[in-house]
Amino acid sequence: NAEPVGDVSVLEIPEDEFHFFRAFRPGIFQLEKELPDFLHGLGLVHAYAIFENYVSEIIKGRLRSHPESMGEKRQLRYGDVFGVATKEELIEKMIGDEVRDLLYLPITGVLESMRERFGFKGLKTTYDAETRRFSLLRNCIVHNGAIAETRIASEYPTQYDVGVAIKLTLDDVDHTLFTLRKFACAIDSCMPGGEEISLRVASRGD
């Protein structure tokens, strides 16, 4: 029962519930403080994952149309050859391996390959630096508990310090969505051969 004492209400609860409440309440308040940062980080990670998948599908499409662009460095094992039923399956496996290896590169290396190997020579570098920053933020959030690592601090010294927590706002997430959508549109607009894969990421106001 709650009894008013002046402007304060006193709540009487059993002793065991009191100890639980005393431990639980600070945890809830702390969670409330941390939750927005977590959700903003999750939003950036999700947006970047969609963009990365978009780029992956574009490269796969180009390799399916021009498998010779994989070059002579891609080697096959006997198991690769005998483990598939058709030539098309073998090519698809090779494409998957090629794209997986390519995506191990920094995003700047992936974009360079798109321009030099896959026919996107007209793709401007307008969004490269910001996309690189998003990729480094994603790595910090996923692999380092949203703490700035050496790489992002060295590349963006005025924005991040090594060992300091990265604080994202809803505006940061919106900026990420807007930039990646604009970049996807730029990629679509210079797609060789009229092919098109559109990126759709919802943001506030959609």
Side-chain angles (χ1 to χ4, degrees):
N1 296 325
E3 297 181 2
V5 179
D7 294 331
V8 179
S9 293
V10 177
L11 180 66
E12 294 184 1
I13 57 176
E15 183 178 357
D16 58 340
E17 292 183 19
F18 166 74
H19 291 299
F20 174 78
F21 183 73
R22 186 171 63 175
F24 180 73
R25 187 170 181 270
I28 285 296
F29 274 81
Q30 189 63 30
L31 177 63
E32 187 179 52
K33 293 177 183 177
E34 295 175 355
L35 193 56
D37 289 336
F38 170 77
L39 293 177
H40 297 153
L42 189 63
L44 184 143
V45 169
H46 183 60
Y48 187 79
I50 292 174
F51 178 78
E52 190 175 54
N53 184 66
Y54 161 81
V55 170
S56 171
E57 290 303 315
I58 282 182
I59 295 173
K60 287 179 181 179
R62 293 299 295 159
L63 288 172
R64 290 183 187 111
S65 300
H66 305 279
E68 69 280 359
S69 62
M70 284 186 279
E72 298 179 355
K73 293 183 179 180
R74 175 62 56 188
Q75 297 181 351
L76 294 173
R77 299 171 299 178
Y78 287 128
D80 296 328
V81 176
F82 298 129
V84 296
T86 65
K87 175 184 176 181
E88 287 71 24
E89 287 183 34
L90 181 60
I91 291 175
E92 194 65 24
K93 183 185 185 308
M94 293 172 63
I95 288 172
D97 292 343
E98 183 79 10
V99 172
R100 185 184 63 249
D101 291 348
L102 188 62
L103 291 180
Y104 276 116
L105 297 174
I107 187 62
T108 46
V110 176
L111 296 171
E112 181 181 356
S113 293
M114 289 180 67
R115 293 181 176 106
E116 298 301 320
R117 293 178 53 192
F118 303 123
F120 291 85
K121 293 185 181 297
L123 181 61
K124 296 180 180 180
T125 60
T126 307
Y127 303 105
D128 284 27
E130 274 295 79
T131 303
R132 167 66 172 166
R133 186 171 72 89
F134 299 150
S135 74
L136 293 175
L137 281 171
R138 177 263 177 204
N139 290 343
C140 291
I141 293 167
V142 172
H143 300 298
N144 203 42
I147 303 298
E149 298 175 320
T150 302
R151 186 171 297 175
I152 194 170
S154 62
E155 292 191 26
Y156 302 90
T158 62
Q159 295 175 265
Y160 308 101
D161 295 313
V162 176
V164 176
I166 294 170
K167 299 293 185 180
L168 297 176
T169 67
L170 188 56
D171 286 340
D172 292 325
V173 178
D174 275 350
H175 172 66
T176 303
L177 296 171
F178 176 80
T179 303
L180 294 180
R181 290 174 70 177
K182 294 289 286 185
F183 200 5
C185 288
I187 293 171
D188 279 349
S189 68
C190 64
M191 182 81 72
E195 301 168 9
E196 182 172 339
I197 300 176
S198 295
L199 175 69
R200 175 64 179 169
V201 183
S203 66
R204 287 189 299 172
D206 278 8

